[in-house]
Coordinates of all heavy atoms in Angstrom, one line a residue:
S309 N 100.9 95.3 209.0 CA 100.5 94.0 208.3 C 100.8 92.9 209.3 O 101.6 92.9 210.1 CB 101.3 93.9 207.2 OG 101.2 94.8 206.2
L310 N 99.9 91.9 209.2 CA 99.9 90.7 209.9 C 100.0 89.5 208.8 O 99.5 89.7 207.8 CB 98.7 90.4 210.8 CG 98.4 91.2 211.9 CD1 97.2 90.9 212.7 CD2 99.7 91.1 213.0
G311 N 100.9 88.4 209.3 CA 101.1 87.5 208.2 C 101.1 86.1 208.9 O 101.3 85.9 210.1
L312 N 101.3 85.1 208.2 CA 101.7 83.8 208.4 C 102.6 83.1 207.5 O 102.4 83.3 206.2 CB 100.3 82.8 208.4 CG 100.6 81.5 208.9 CD1 100.9 81.4 210.4 CD2 99.4 80.6 208.6
E313 N 103.7 82.6 208.0 CA 104.9 82.3 207.1 C 105.3 80.7 207.4 O 105.4 80.5 208.6 CB 105.9 83.3 207.0 CG 107.1 82.9 206.1 CD 108.2 84.0 206.3 OE1 108.5 84.5 207.3 OE2 108.8 84.3 205.3
Y314 N 105.6 80.0 206.3 CA 106.2 78.8 206.4 C 107.6 78.9 205.6 O 107.7 79.4 204.7 CB 105.4 77.7 205.7 CG 106.2 76.5 205.5 CD1 106.3 75.4 206.3 CD2 106.7 76.3 204.1 CE1 107.0 74.3 206.0 CE2 107.4 75.0 203.7 CZ 107.6 74.1 204.6 OH 108.2 73.0 204.3
W315 N 108.6 78.1 206.3 CA 109.8 77.9 205.6 C 110.6 76.6 206.0 O 110.2 76.0 207.1 CB 110.8 79.1 205.8 CG 111.2 79.4 207.4 CD1 110.5 80.1 208.2 CD2 112.3 78.9 208.0 NE1 111.2 80.2 209.5 CE2 112.3 79.4 209.3 CE3 113.5 78.2 207.5 CZ2 113.3 79.2 210.2 CZ3 114.5 77.8 208.5 CH2 114.4 78.4 209.8
A316 N 111.4 76.2 205.2 CA 112.0 74.8 205.5 C 113.4 75.0 205.0 O 113.8 75.8 204.3 CB 111.3 73.7 204.7
R317 N 114.2 74.1 205.6 CA 115.6 74.0 205.2 C 116.0 72.5 205.2 O 115.7 71.7 206.1 CB 116.6 74.7 206.1 CG 117.9 74.7 205.7 CD 118.9 75.6 206.5 NE 120.4 75.7 205.9 CZ 120.8 76.4 204.9 NH1 119.9 77.1 204.2 NH2 122.1 76.3 204.7
G318 N 116.6 72.0 204.1 CA 116.9 70.6 203.9 C 118.2 70.5 202.9 O 118.6 71.5 202.4
N319 N 118.7 69.2 202.8 CA 119.8 68.9 202.0 C 119.4 67.9 201.0 O 119.0 66.8 201.4 CB 121.0 68.5 203.0 CG 122.2 68.4 202.2 OD1 122.4 68.2 201.1 ND2 123.4 68.7 202.9
F320 N 119.7 68.2 199.8 CA 119.2 67.3 198.7 C 120.2 66.1 198.7 O 119.8 65.0 198.1 CB 119.5 68.0 197.3 CG 118.5 68.9 196.9 CD1 118.7 70.2 196.7 CD2 117.1 68.6 196.6 CE1 117.8 71.2 196.3 CE2 116.1 69.4 196.2 CZ 116.4 70.7 196.2
D321 N 121.2 66.2 199.4 CA 122.1 65.0 199.4 C 121.8 64.0 200.6 O 122.4 63.0 200.8 CB 123.6 65.5 199.7 CG 124.2 66.6 198.6 OD1 123.9 66.2 197.5 OD2 124.6 67.5 199.1
E322 N 120.8 64.4 201.4 CA 120.3 63.5 202.6 C 118.8 63.2 202.3 O 118.2 63.7 201.3 CB 120.4 64.3 203.8 CG 121.8 64.8 204.1 CD 121.9 65.5 205.4 OE1 120.8 66.1 205.9 OE2 122.9 65.8 205.9
K323 N 118.2 62.4 203.1 CA 116.7 62.0 203.0 C 115.9 63.3 203.2 O 116.2 64.1 204.2 CB 116.5 61.0 204.0 CG 117.1 59.6 203.7 CD 116.7 58.6 204.8 CE 117.4 57.4 204.6 NZ 116.9 56.4 205.7
L324 N 114.9 63.4 202.4 CA 114.1 64.6 202.5 C 113.3 64.6 203.9 O 112.9 65.7 204.3 CB 113.0 64.6 201.4 CG 113.4 64.8 200.1 CD1 112.4 64.7 198.9 CD2 114.3 66.0 199.8
S325 N 113.3 63.5 204.6 CA 112.7 63.4 205.8 C 113.4 64.1 207.0 O 113.0 64.4 208.1 CB 112.4 61.9 206.3 OG 113.5 61.2 206.3
Q326 N 114.7 64.4 206.7 CA 115.7 65.0 207.6 C 115.5 66.6 207.5 O 116.1 67.2 208.3 CB 117.0 64.6 207.3 CG 117.2 63.1 207.7 CD 118.7 62.6 207.4 OE1 119.1 62.4 206.3 NE2 119.5 62.6 208.5
A327 N 114.7 67.1 206.6 CA 114.6 68.5 206.5 C 113.9 69.1 207.7 O 113.1 68.4 208.4 CB 113.8 68.8 205.3
H328 N 114.1 70.4 208.0 CA 113.5 71.0 209.1 C 112.4 72.0 208.5 O 112.6 72.8 207.5 CB 114.5 71.9 209.9 CG 115.6 71.0 210.5 ND1 115.4 69.9 211.2 CD2 116.9 71.1 210.2 CE1 116.5 69.4 211.5 NE2 117.5 69.9 211.0
H329 N 111.2 72.0 209.1 CA 110.1 72.9 208.8 C 109.7 73.8 209.9 O 109.5 73.4 211.1 CB 109.0 72.0 208.5 CG 109.3 70.8 207.4 ND1 109.2 71.2 206.0 CD2 109.9 69.6 207.5 CE1 109.6 70.1 205.3 NE2 110.0 69.1 206.1
Y330 N 109.5 75.0 209.6 CA 109.0 76.0 210.5 C 107.8 76.8 210.0 O 107.6 77.0 208.9 CB 110.2 77.2 210.8 CG 111.3 76.6 211.5 CD1 112.3 75.8 210.9 CD2 111.4 76.7 213.0 CE1 113.4 75.4 211.5 CE2 112.6 76.2 213.6 CZ 113.6 75.5 212.9 OH 114.7 75.1 213.5
V331 N 106.9 77.2 211.0 CA 105.8 77.9 210.6 C 105.4 78.9 211.8 O 105.6 78.6 212.9 CB 104.5 77.2 210.2 CG1 104.0 76.4 211.5 CG2 103.4 77.9 209.6
G332 N 104.9 80.1 211.5 CA 104.6 81.0 212.6 C 104.1 82.3 212.1 O 104.1 82.6 210.9
P333 N 103.6 83.3 213.0 CA 102.9 84.5 212.7 C 104.1 85.5 212.4 O 105.2 85.5 213.0 CB 102.1 84.9 213.9 CG 102.9 84.1 215.0 CD 103.4 82.8 214.4
T334 N 103.8 86.5 211.7 CA 104.5 87.7 211.5 C 103.9 89.0 211.6 O 102.7 89.0 211.6 CB 105.2 87.6 209.9 OG1 104.1 87.8 209.0 CG2 105.9 86.3 209.8
F335 N 104.7 90.0 211.8 CA 104.2 91.4 212.0 C 105.2 92.4 211.3 O 106.3 92.3 211.5 CB 104.0 91.7 213.5 CG 103.5 93.1 213.8 CD1 102.2 93.4 213.5 CD2 104.4 94.0 214.3 CE1 101.8 94.7 213.8 CE2 104.2 95.3 214.6 CZ 102.8 95.6 214.3
L336 N 104.5 93.4 210.6 CA 105.2 94.5 210.0 C 104.8 95.8 210.5 O 103.4 96.0 210.3 CB 105.2 94.3 208.5 CG 105.6 95.5 207.6 CD1 107.2 95.7 207.8 CD2 105.3 95.4 206.2
A337 N 105.6 96.7 210.8 CA 105.2 98.1 211.1 C 106.2 98.9 210.3 O 107.3 98.8 210.3 CB 105.3 98.4 212.5
Q338 N 105.5 99.9 209.5 CA 106.3 100.7 208.8 C 105.9 102.2 208.7 O 104.7 102.5 209.0 CB 106.4 100.3 207.1 CG 104.9 100.2 206.6 CD 105.0 99.8 205.2 OE1 105.9 100.2 204.4 NE2 104.0 98.9 204.8
G339 N 106.9 103.1 208.6 CA 106.8 104.5 208.7 C 107.6 105.2 207.6 O 108.1 104.4 206.8
E340 N 107.8 106.4 207.6 CA 108.4 107.1 206.4 C 110.0 107.0 206.7 O 110.6 107.1 205.7 CB 107.9 108.7 206.5 CG 108.1 109.3 205.4 CD 107.4 110.6 205.4 OE1 107.8 111.5 206.3 OE2 106.5 110.9 204.5
T341 N 110.5 106.8 207.8 CA 111.8 106.9 208.0 C 112.4 105.3 208.4 O 113.7 105.3 208.5 CB 112.2 107.8 209.2 OG1 111.5 107.3 210.4 CG2 111.8 109.1 208.9
A342 N 111.5 104.4 208.7 CA 112.1 103.0 209.1 C 110.9 102.1 209.0 O 109.7 102.4 208.9 CB 112.7 103.1 210.3
W343 N 111.2 100.7 209.0 CA 110.2 99.8 209.2 C 110.9 98.6 210.0 O 112.1 98.4 209.9 CB 109.8 99.1 207.9 CG 110.9 98.6 206.8 CD1 111.5 99.3 205.9 CD2 111.3 97.4 206.8 NE1 112.5 98.7 205.3 CE2 112.3 97.4 205.7 CE3 111.1 96.1 207.4 CZ2 113.0 96.2 205.5 CZ3 111.8 95.0 207.1 CH2 112.8 95.0 206.0
I344 N 110.1 97.7 210.5 CA 110.5 96.7 211.4 C 109.6 95.4 211.0 O 108.3 95.6 211.0 CB 110.5 96.9 212.9 CG1 111.0 95.7 213.7 CG2 109.1 97.3 213.4 CD1 111.3 96.0 215.2
S345 N 110.1 94.3 210.9 CA 109.5 93.0 210.6 C 109.9 92.0 211.6 O 111.1 91.9 211.9 CB 109.8 92.5 209.2 OG 109.1 91.3 208.9
L346 N 108.9 91.3 212.1 CA 109.2 90.4 213.3 C 108.5 89.0 212.9 O 107.3 89.0 212.4 CB 108.5 90.8 214.5 CG 108.8 92.2 215.0 CD1 107.9 92.6 216.1 CD2 110.3 92.3 215.4
G347 N 109.1 88.0 213.2 CA 108.5 86.7 213.0 C 109.1 85.6 214.2 O 110.1 85.7 214.6
T348 N 108.0 84.8 214.6 CA 108.2 83.8 215.6 C 107.8 82.5 214.9 O 106.7 82.4 214.6 CB 107.6 84.1 216.9 OG1 108.1 85.4 217.4 CG2 107.8 83.0 218.0
Y349 N 108.7 81.5 214.9 CA 108.4 80.2 214.2 C 108.5 79.0 215.1 O 109.5 78.9 215.8 CB 109.4 80.2 212.9 CG 109.3 81.5 212.1 CD1 110.2 82.4 212.3 CD2 108.4 81.5 211.1 CE1 110.2 83.5 211.5 CE2 108.3 82.6 210.3 CZ 109.2 83.6 210.6 OH 109.2 84.7 209.7
L350 N 107.6 78.0 215.0 CA 107.6 76.8 215.8 C 108.1 75.7 214.6 O 107.7 75.6 213.6 CB 106.2 76.4 216.2 CG 106.1 75.0 216.8 CD1 106.9 74.9 218.0 CD2 104.7 74.8 217.0
R351 N 109.1 75.0 215.1 CA 109.7 73.8 214.4 C 108.6 72.8 214.3 O 108.3 72.2 215.4 CB 110.9 73.5 214.8 CG 111.6 72.2 214.2 CD 113.0 72.1 214.6 NE 113.6 70.7 214.3 CZ 114.7 70.3 214.8 NH1 115.7 71.2 215.4 NH2 115.2 69.1 214.5
L352 N 108.3 72.2 213.1 CA 107.2 71.3 213.1 C 107.9 69.8 213.0 O 107.1 68.8 213.5 CB 106.4 71.4 211.8 CG 105.7 72.8 211.7 CD1 104.9 72.9 210.4 CD2 104.7 73.0 212.8
D353 N 109.0 69.5 212.5 CA 109.4 68.1 212.4 C 109.8 67.7 213.7 O 110.3 68.6 214.7 CB 110.6 68.1 211.5 CG 111.8 69.1 211.7 OD1 111.5 70.3 211.5 OD2 112.8 68.8 212.3
D354 N 109.6 66.4 214.1 CA 109.8 65.8 215.4 C 109.2 66.7 216.5 O 109.7 66.8 217.6 CB 111.3 65.8 215.7 CG 111.9 64.8 214.7 OD1 111.2 63.7 214.2 OD2 113.1 65.1 214.4
L355 N 107.8 67.1 216.2 CA 107.1 67.9 217.3 C 106.9 67.1 218.4 O 106.5 65.9 218.4 CB 105.8 68.4 216.7 CG 105.0 69.4 217.4 CD1 106.0 70.7 217.3 CD2 103.8 69.9 216.6

């Protein structure tokens, strides 16, 4: 499988503009005995 994922991390006690945002491609390979998932993400805030 190929994918695209966004995630963010922030603090409700701080300004929302201080949150960090990431986006990047993902890859999944799976078989009968194991699977592996990979993701590489670029930070978007203060790019």
Side-chain angles (χ1 to χ4, degrees):
S309 295
L310 291 177
L312 183 68
E313 184 177 32
Y314 160 83
W315 60 276
R317 185 170 179 87
N319 193 325
F320 285 114
D321 305 313
E322 301 173 350
K323 295 180 180 180
L324 295 182
S325 60
Q326 294 179 278
H328 302 302
H329 304 267
Y330 292 82
V331 67
T334 67
F335 174 74
L336 168 68
Q338 56 179 322
E340 203 169 59
T341 58
W343 56 266
I344 182 169
S345 181
L346 308 170
T348 301
Y349 307 91
L350 173 66
R351 179 170 156 184
L352 300 179
D353 51 286
D354 297 325
L355 196 60

